[in-house]
Amino acid sequence: MSTKTPSSGNLVIVESPAKAKTIERYLGDGFRVLSSVGHIRHIPPGDESAIDIAGGFTAKYEVDPEKKKTVAELKRAVKAADEVWLATDEDREGEAIAWHLAEVLGLDVEHTKRITFHEITKSALEEAIAHPRTINMLRVKSQQARQVLDRLYGYELSPVVWRKVPGGKSAGRVQSPALRLLVEREREINAFTAESSYKVTAVLTHGDEELKGELKRSLDDEDAARALLEQLPDATWTVRDVSVKPAKRNPPAPYTTSTLQQDANSRMGYAARTTMNAAQALYQAGKITYMRTDSTTLSKQALASAADYIKSNFGGPYLHTRQFKTKSAGAQEAHEAIRPTDISVESAGRNQYEKKVYELIRTRTLASQMAPAELEKTTVTIDVSTIEDDFEAKGEAVVFDGFLKVYGRNIEKYLPRLNAGDVLDPCVVTAHQTFSKPPARYTEGSLVKKLEELGIGRPSTYATILDNIKSRGYVQPGEGMAAEREAVELCLDYVENPGQVTREVQIESYGNDKGKLIPTAIGEVLSDFLEKYFTRYVDYGFTAATETELDCIEQGECNPTEMLTEFYGPFHQLIEAAADIDRSTVGKSRVVGIDPATGRDIIARVGRYGPMLQIGSVDDEEKPRFANLPKGRTIDNVTIDEALRMFQLPRVLGSDTDGRDVKANIGRFGPYVQVEKTYASIKAPLDVFTITLDQGLELIEEKRKAEAEKHIASFDDGAIQVLKGRYGPYVTDGNKNAKVPKDVDPTTIDEEMAREMLAKAPEKKGRGRKTATKKTAAKKKAPKKK
């Protein structure tokens, strides 16, 4: 759509610098586009009067110190502009940013032009400029209510957690129910008792073709399985019936935020944050529509573009235009699903993550507008003359691939052409012991799906929820560990051992935890604490109802002050009562056994840094001794022998040629050997409990050699070094890293050059970051009731 360009001197303010560049390119002359770089104001931390509870929960805001320069630049730009357009995102946070910008920049909230768009394309921007609106204050009030609620929840409950829960760092309105889900699932798995049965399969042939049939029921035990196999040596296998039925498989809906995160996790193993970072970069580059949405709707223009592309590239029979109904109750149909802005663009993105996420989005969008796959499902019933039970073989063939042409995996399972009465030749019949499976651990994708089902969180918060519970040490991703068990297999081989049933015990792996989310001991203790003392506030229903109330406020049907009052009164009473909770009763502990050397108890318990072993208590005359839990063991299952072994560490293996001790121990990153300040990892097949002095010295020597090869130069007694890194040479002083330019020979760098490079380099990521710790607990007091 073409519109008349407004007069020159137009200032457009967006959230992201990357988005600003793309938009300015499309709008052209007469428009200047600047970025606020996200939020510019926040509720000041540590300010007891920041939220006026008695005054209707009104919040005081201040400009972020690091945003003062940005705000000053925006103020200058506003003075020079004829017209200001606020173009922040259309969700609650974006609307709140627009309001904060108007407040700080002195803009009239009731008249300043507010524009939104679901995609960064020339036509979408022209449409937005042609139809501006004003700031939606109902949406702003909803965001403020959410912010105040989360502030009160976190700032009042987190100090209780610090004081009462060993290793506890924080609690949050949404993260705590998410953690509870993981803890409950882990306990379901631990309480599960597997039951075994026997699955009987037969490999049969018809002419030169092979098929596999399966007994239509499982057998209870090995005796029943053997009894059945022993009846089969002289049996005749005959096709009793061949049933062929048509079937259809429909394509899935276009992506919402949640389904994109689920699919990227299950197909490519991407974390929710990785997926969202890639999607945000694609959106800011104008390649996809807005990536935070719970709608499955496609615009008329998108439907038409997809239809044209499908007809041109695949033919008319592949086209099936459809509009999917959004399932989420809070979704807004005016929003769109995530889709490419131009369906004909086959690849987009600056790196492999963005390219793969774009490919997912594009193929899913195309598939959603394509015809169903037409299938032919075949079931062959096989009669066995010596037993009453039938075997069954199933096949599936694709008659018309439809949407599977672009989206989906090969689902075909071929069977030979058979007719009733055909005689089949048996090759091998096996009865394999199988075990019932416990509930599956959550992955990031399946947890997001569960949160969405329960109404917990919103598209913009799923990745943050996962980040929080992982970064605080409440959950850890599985490392690919699996357990082993014995499984019996009985076999009747008509070729190798005709007429004989052989037995083999196989070792099989099960329960691989790769990619799964596993609650830590600290996470379990925290979840139990919250559920015991703050039951209502980690209840799934409370969290979901809060999201519904926030939607209600946005629609103008609920009062934010009433909602916050109803929450805060009972909540604050529990906070005050928490002062009487005895910390010693919080946490998990178990007496593993008696230390034979001292006669004192060996206790497995949760400490500040996680699960640990302890000999004795603080009340004993002799100080208690501490050790790590063995890897893969928990407080519940560590044995006395395993515990005693851990107290043998650190082991002194002997001395090097200079008389320095060579030690073996287990640290935060695993087992290692050490000589003074030189550390080398111990890797399989070597073991920390059996490694010898010679093996330890060999590892130390290899480490020193690797460090020497990495070293290029040192200055100021080693305070500044030039090193070879994974991505090339760099200069470091421990606080900053400066990459050596490609046109500079690192061996020619002197101290002056090194210092100049470091002066221009940024601080290492993570330094100076504000984190909630016990040190800052005193500063982070909850707002006092006025």
Side-chain angles (χ1 to χ4, degrees), residues 96-118:
I97 291 171
W99 176 77
H100 283 293
L101 285 167
E103 290 280 304
V104 172
L105 301 178
L107 302 172
D108 186 343
V109 173
E110 294 184 3
H111 296 97
T112 298
K113 292 181 177 177
R114 171 87 169 100
I115 58 172
T116 58
F117 32 83
H118 304 304

PDB file of all heavy atoms in Angstrom, residues 96-118:
ATOM      1  N   ALA A  96       4.742  -0.657  27.350  1.00  0.00           N
ATOM      2  CA  ALA A  96       5.275   0.037  28.533  1.00  0.00           C
ATOM      3  C   ALA A  96       6.503   0.862  28.173  1.00  0.00           C
ATOM      4  O   ALA A  96       6.670   1.995  28.664  1.00  0.00           O
ATOM      5  CB  ALA A  96       5.633  -0.984  29.608  1.00  0.00           C
ATOM      6  N   ILE A  97       7.359   0.345  27.311  1.00  0.00           N
ATOM      7  CA  ILE A  97       8.538   1.104  26.878  1.00  0.00           C
ATOM      8  C   ILE A  97       8.105   2.386  26.175  1.00  0.00           C
ATOM      9  O   ILE A  97       8.678   3.460  26.386  1.00  0.00           O
ATOM     10  CB  ILE A  97       9.446   0.239  25.974  1.00  0.00           C
ATOM     11  CG1 ILE A  97      10.096  -0.886  26.786  1.00  0.00           C
ATOM     12  CG2 ILE A  97      10.536   1.090  25.309  1.00  0.00           C
ATOM     13  CD1 ILE A  97      10.838  -1.920  25.958  1.00  0.00           C
ATOM     14  N   ALA A  98       7.069   2.291  25.328  1.00  0.00           N
ATOM     15  CA  ALA A  98       6.558   3.474  24.634  1.00  0.00           C
ATOM     16  C   ALA A  98       6.076   4.521  25.639  1.00  0.00           C
ATOM     17  O   ALA A  98       6.348   5.720  25.500  1.00  0.00           O
ATOM     18  CB  ALA A  98       5.423   3.078  23.693  1.00  0.00           C
ATOM     19  N   TRP A  99       5.375   4.079  26.692  1.00  0.00           N
ATOM     20  CA  TRP A  99       4.875   5.008  27.710  1.00  0.00           C
ATOM     21  C   TRP A  99       6.031   5.645  28.475  1.00  0.00           C
ATOM     22  O   TRP A  99       6.042   6.859  28.708  1.00  0.00           O
ATOM     23  CB  TRP A  99       3.956   4.256  28.684  1.00  0.00           C
ATOM     24  CG  TRP A  99       3.479   5.130  29.811  1.00  0.00           C
ATOM     25  CD1 TRP A  99       2.508   6.084  29.764  1.00  0.00           C
ATOM     26  CD2 TRP A  99       3.979   5.116  31.158  1.00  0.00           C
ATOM     27  NE1 TRP A  99       2.370   6.674  31.009  1.00  0.00           N
ATOM     28  CE2 TRP A  99       3.257   6.093  31.879  1.00  0.00           C
ATOM     29  CE3 TRP A  99       4.948   4.364  31.816  1.00  0.00           C
ATOM     30  CZ2 TRP A  99       3.487   6.346  33.232  1.00  0.00           C
ATOM     31  CZ3 TRP A  99       5.177   4.614  33.157  1.00  0.00           C
ATOM     32  CH2 TRP A  99       4.463   5.591  33.857  1.00  0.00           C
ATOM     33  N   HIS A 100       7.037   4.843  28.850  1.00  0.00           N
ATOM     34  CA  HIS A 100       8.195   5.393  29.556  1.00  0.00           C
ATOM     35  C   HIS A 100       8.932   6.414  28.684  1.00  0.00           C
ATOM     36  O   HIS A 100       9.392   7.452  29.183  1.00  0.00           O
ATOM     37  CB  HIS A 100       9.147   4.268  29.965  1.00  0.00           C
ATOM     38  CG  HIS A 100       8.703   3.490  31.159  1.00  0.00           C
ATOM     39  ND1 HIS A 100       8.632   4.026  32.410  1.00  0.00           N
ATOM     40  CD2 HIS A 100       8.286   2.197  31.287  1.00  0.00           C
ATOM     41  CE1 HIS A 100       8.202   3.113  33.275  1.00  0.00           C
ATOM     42  NE2 HIS A 100       7.980   1.991  32.614  1.00  0.00           N
ATOM     43  N   LEU A 101       9.044   6.111  27.397  1.00  0.00           N
ATOM     44  CA  LEU A 101       9.689   7.059  26.477  1.00  0.00           C
ATOM     45  C   LEU A 101       8.919   8.377  26.448  1.00  0.00           C
ATOM     46  O   LEU A 101       9.510   9.465  26.510  1.00  0.00           O
ATOM     47  CB  LEU A 101       9.775   6.458  25.071  1.00  0.00           C
ATOM     48  CG  LEU A 101      10.844   5.379  24.854  1.00  0.00           C
ATOM     49  CD1 LEU A 101      10.618   4.644  23.545  1.00  0.00           C
ATOM     50  CD2 LEU A 101      12.240   6.008  24.881  1.00  0.00           C
ATOM     51  N   ALA A 102       7.598   8.286  26.358  1.00  0.00           N
ATOM     52  CA  ALA A 102       6.776   9.500  26.324  1.00  0.00           C
ATOM     53  C   ALA A 102       6.954  10.312  27.609  1.00  0.00           C
ATOM     54  O   ALA A 102       7.089  11.543  27.569  1.00  0.00           O
ATOM     55  CB  ALA A 102       5.307   9.122  26.123  1.00  0.00           C
ATOM     56  N   GLU A 103       6.991   9.619  28.750  1.00  0.00           N
ATOM     57  CA  GLU A 103       7.143  10.296  30.035  1.00  0.00           C
ATOM     58  C   GLU A 103       8.509  10.986  30.147  1.00  0.00           C
ATOM     59  O   GLU A 103       8.599  12.146  30.544  1.00  0.00           O
ATOM     60  CB  GLU A 103       6.984   9.283  31.166  1.00  0.00           C
ATOM     61  CG  GLU A 103       5.568   8.755  31.355  1.00  0.00           C
ATOM     62  CD  GLU A 103       4.697   9.729  32.127  1.00  0.00           C
ATOM     63  OE1 GLU A 103       5.082  10.109  33.244  1.00  0.00           O
ATOM     64  OE2 GLU A 103       3.639  10.124  31.596  1.00  0.00           O
ATOM     65  N   VAL A 104       9.553  10.271  29.804  1.00  0.00           N
ATOM     66  CA  VAL A 104      10.916  10.791  29.979  1.00  0.00           C
ATOM     67  C   VAL A 104      11.236  11.874  28.949  1.00  0.00           C
ATOM     68  O   VAL A 104      11.925  12.852  29.258  1.00  0.00           O
ATOM     69  CB  VAL A 104      11.942   9.636  29.894  1.00  0.00           C
ATOM     70  CG1 VAL A 104      13.368  10.173  29.870  1.00  0.00           C
ATOM     71  CG2 VAL A 104      11.766   8.687  31.068  1.00  0.00           C
ATOM     72  N   LEU A 105      10.720  11.704  27.735  1.00  0.00           N
ATOM     73  CA  LEU A 105      11.044  12.649  26.652  1.00  0.00           C
ATOM     74  C   LEU A 105      10.078  13.827  26.589  1.00  0.00           C
ATOM     75  O   LEU A 105      10.182  14.669  25.706  1.00  0.00           O
ATOM     76  CB  LEU A 105      11.049  11.908  25.307  1.00  0.00           C
ATOM     77  CG  LEU A 105      12.038  10.736  25.200  1.00  0.00           C
ATOM     78  CD1 LEU A 105      11.918  10.048  23.847  1.00  0.00           C
ATOM     79  CD2 LEU A 105      13.472  11.213  25.425  1.00  0.00           C
ATOM     80  N   GLY A 106       9.128  13.881  27.523  1.00  0.00           N
ATOM     81  CA  GLY A 106       8.202  15.007  27.566  1.00  0.00           C
ATOM     82  C   GLY A 106       7.188  15.011  26.442  1.00  0.00           C
ATOM     83  O   GLY A 106       6.756  16.087  25.994  1.00  0.00           O
ATOM     84  N   LEU A 107       6.786  13.828  25.978  1.00  0.00           N
ATOM     85  CA  LEU A 107       5.810  13.729  24.890  1.00  0.00           C
ATOM     86  C   LEU A 107       4.396  13.623  25.472  1.00  0.00           C
ATOM     87  O   LEU A 107       4.197  13.087  26.567  1.00  0.00           O
ATOM     88  CB  LEU A 107       6.111  12.501  24.032  1.00  0.00           C
ATOM     89  CG  LEU A 107       7.511  12.448  23.401  1.00  0.00           C
ATOM     90  CD1 LEU A 107       7.735  11.091  22.736  1.00  0.00           C
ATOM     91  CD2 LEU A 107       7.691  13.561  22.377  1.00  0.00           C
ATOM     92  N   ASP A 108       3.432  14.107  24.731  1.00  0.00           N
ATOM     93  CA  ASP A 108       2.039  14.035  25.156  1.00  0.00           C
ATOM     94  C   ASP A 108       1.527  12.607  24.944  1.00  0.00           C
ATOM     95  O   ASP A 108       1.393  12.153  23.799  1.00  0.00           O
ATOM     96  CB  ASP A 108       1.204  15.022  24.328  1.00  0.00           C
ATOM     97  CG  ASP A 108      -0.240  15.111  24.805  1.00  0.00           C
ATOM     98  OD1 ASP A 108      -0.671  14.208  25.543  1.00  0.00           O
ATOM     99  OD2 ASP A 108      -0.930  16.074  24.422  1.00  0.00           O
ATOM    100  N   VAL A 109       1.256  11.902  26.056  1.00  0.00           N
ATOM    101  CA  VAL A 109       0.840  10.501  25.978  1.00  0.00           C
ATOM    102  C   VAL A 109      -0.440  10.344  25.171  1.00  0.00           C
ATOM    103  O   VAL A 109      -0.612   9.366  24.432  1.00  0.00           O
ATOM    104  CB  VAL A 109       0.658   9.918  27.403  1.00  0.00           C
ATOM    105  CG1 VAL A 109       0.052   8.520  27.347  1.00  0.00           C
ATOM    106  CG2 VAL A 109       1.999   9.866  28.127  1.00  0.00           C
ATOM    107  N   GLU A 110      -1.338  11.319  25.287  1.00  0.00           N
ATOM    108  CA  GLU A 110      -2.646  11.198  24.634  1.00  0.00           C
ATOM    109  C   GLU A 110      -2.605  11.504  23.147  1.00  0.00           C
ATOM    110  O   GLU A 110      -3.545  11.173  22.414  1.00  0.00           O
ATOM    111  CB  GLU A 110      -3.666  12.120  25.314  1.00  0.00           C
ATOM    112  CG  GLU A 110      -3.965  11.706  26.753  1.00  0.00           C
ATOM    113  CD  GLU A 110      -5.043  12.570  27.381  1.00  0.00           C
ATOM    114  OE1 GLU A 110      -5.590  13.445  26.661  1.00  0.00           O
ATOM    115  OE2 GLU A 110      -5.332  12.380  28.570  1.00  0.00           O
ATOM    116  N   HIS A 111      -1.543  12.145  22.665  1.00  0.00           N
ATOM    117  CA  HIS A 111      -1.515  12.540  21.252  1.00  0.00           C
ATOM    118  C   HIS A 111      -0.297  12.040  20.484  1.00  0.00           C
ATOM    119  O   HIS A 111      -0.304  12.077  19.252  1.00  0.00           O
ATOM    120  CB  HIS A 111      -1.592  14.078  21.136  1.00  0.00           C
ATOM    121  CG  HIS A 111      -2.883  14.636  21.662  1.00  0.00           C
ATOM    122  ND1 HIS A 111      -2.999  15.153  22.944  1.00  0.00           N
ATOM    123  CD2 HIS A 111      -4.113  14.746  21.097  1.00  0.00           C
ATOM    124  CE1 HIS A 111      -4.239  15.557  23.143  1.00  0.00           C
ATOM    125  NE2 HIS A 111      -4.942  15.329  22.039  1.00  0.00           N
ATOM    126  N   THR A 112       0.741  11.610  21.172  1.00  0.00           N
ATOM    127  CA  THR A 112       1.926  11.122  20.454  1.00  0.00           C
ATOM    128  C   THR A 112       1.561   9.883  19.629  1.00  0.00           C
ATOM    129  O   THR A 112       0.857   8.993  20.103  1.00  0.00           O
ATOM    130  CB  THR A 112       3.045  10.763  21.445  1.00  0.00           C
ATOM    131  OG1 THR A 112       3.422  11.933  22.153  1.00  0.00           O
ATOM    132  CG2 THR A 112       4.265  10.213  20.717  1.00  0.00           C
ATOM    133  N   LYS A 113       2.057   9.839  18.408  1.00  0.00           N
ATOM    134  CA  LYS A 113       1.698   8.757  17.487  1.00  0.00           C
ATOM    135  C   LYS A 113       2.426   7.458  17.861  1.00  0.00           C
ATOM    136  O   LYS A 113       3.630   7.441  18.047  1.00  0.00           O
ATOM    137  CB  LYS A 113       1.998   9.168  16.047  1.00  0.00           C
ATOM    138  CG  LYS A 113       1.084  10.290  15.562  1.00  0.00           C
ATOM    139  CD  LYS A 113       1.357  10.694  14.137  1.00  0.00           C
ATOM    140  CE  LYS A 113       0.363  11.767  13.690  1.00  0.00           C
ATOM    141  NZ  LYS A 113       0.630  12.237  12.318  1.00  0.00           N
ATOM    142  N   ARG A 114       1.646   6.414  17.923  1.00  0.00           N
ATOM    143  CA  ARG A 114       2.150   5.069  18.280  1.00  0.00           C
ATOM    144  C   ARG A 114       1.867   4.153  17.107  1.00  0.00           C
ATOM    145  O   ARG A 114       0.721   4.064  16.628  1.00  0.00           O
ATOM    146  CB  ARG A 114       1.420   4.592  19.537  1.00  0.00           C
ATOM    147  CG  ARG A 114       1.675   3.126  19.890  1.00  0.00           C
ATOM    148  CD  ARG A 114       2.899   2.968  20.745  1.00  0.00           C
ATOM    149  NE  ARG A 114       2.989   1.614  21.282  1.00  0.00           N
ATOM    150  CZ  ARG A 114       3.759   0.659  20.776  1.00  0.00           C
ATOM    151  NH1 ARG A 114       4.520   0.895  19.710  1.00  0.00           N
ATOM    152  NH2 ARG A 114       3.796  -0.537  21.331  1.00  0.00           N
ATOM    153  N   ILE A 115       2.898   3.516  16.586  1.00  0.00           N
ATOM    154  CA  ILE A 115       2.712   2.606  15.451  1.00  0.00           C
ATOM    155  C   ILE A 115       3.271   1.221  15.795  1.00  0.00           C
ATOM    156  O   ILE A 115       4.222   1.096  16.563  1.00  0.00           O
ATOM    157  CB  ILE A 115       3.384   3.135  14.157  1.00  0.00           C
ATOM    158  CG1 ILE A 115       4.886   3.369  14.375  1.00  0.00           C
ATOM    159  CG2 ILE A 115       2.691   4.396  13.660  1.00  0.00           C
ATOM    160  CD1 ILE A 115       5.641   3.714  13.095  1.00  0.00           C
ATOM    161  N   THR A 116       2.633   0.202  15.241  1.00  0.00           N
ATOM    162  CA  THR A 116       3.103  -1.173  15.425  1.00  0.00           C
ATOM    163  C   THR A 116       3.013  -1.909  14.101  1.00  0.00           C
ATOM    164  O   THR A 116       2.259  -1.516  13.198  1.00  0.00           O
ATOM    165  CB  THR A 116       2.255  -1.923  16.470  1.00  0.00           C
ATOM    166  OG1 THR A 116       0.894  -1.919  16.048  1.00  0.00           O
ATOM    167  CG2 THR A 116       2.370  -1.293  17.841  1.00  0.00           C
ATOM    168  N   PHE A 117       3.781  -2.968  13.983  1.00  0.00           N
ATOM    169  CA  PHE A 117       3.792  -3.774  12.759  1.00  0.00           C
ATOM    170  C   PHE A 117       4.259  -5.176  13.129  1.00  0.00           C
ATOM    171  O   PHE A 117       5.043  -5.359  14.061  1.00  0.00           O
ATOM    172  CB  PHE A 117       4.720  -3.158  11.699  1.00  0.00           C
ATOM    173  CG  PHE A 117       5.909  -2.439  12.276  1.00  0.00           C
ATOM    174  CD1 PHE A 117       7.059  -3.137  12.642  1.00  0.00           C
ATOM    175  CD2 PHE A 117       5.872  -1.072  12.499  1.00  0.00           C
ATOM    176  CE1 PHE A 117       8.137  -2.486  13.201  1.00  0.00           C
ATOM    177  CE2 PHE A 117       6.955  -0.410  13.069  1.00  0.00           C
ATOM    178  CZ  PHE A 117       8.097  -1.119  13.415  1.00  0.00           C
ATOM    179  N   HIS A 118       3.760  -6.174  12.421  1.00  0.00           N
ATOM    180  CA  HIS A 118       4.115  -7.572  12.699  1.00  0.00           C
ATOM    181  C   HIS A 118       5.314  -8.038  11.877  1.00  0.00           C
ATOM    182  O   HIS A 118       5.859  -9.112  12.121  1.00  0.00           O
ATOM    183  CB  HIS A 118       2.927  -8.493  12.408  1.00  0.00           C
ATOM    184  CG  HIS A 118       1.695  -8.112  13.147  1.00  0.00           C
ATOM    185  ND1 HIS A 118       1.660  -7.989  14.516  1.00  0.00           N
ATOM    186  CD2 HIS A 118       0.443  -7.806  12.718  1.00  0.00           C
ATOM    187  CE1 HIS A 118       0.444  -7.637  14.902  1.00  0.00           C
ATOM    188  NE2 HIS A 118      -0.308  -7.507  13.838  1.00  0.00           N
TER     189      HIS A 118
END
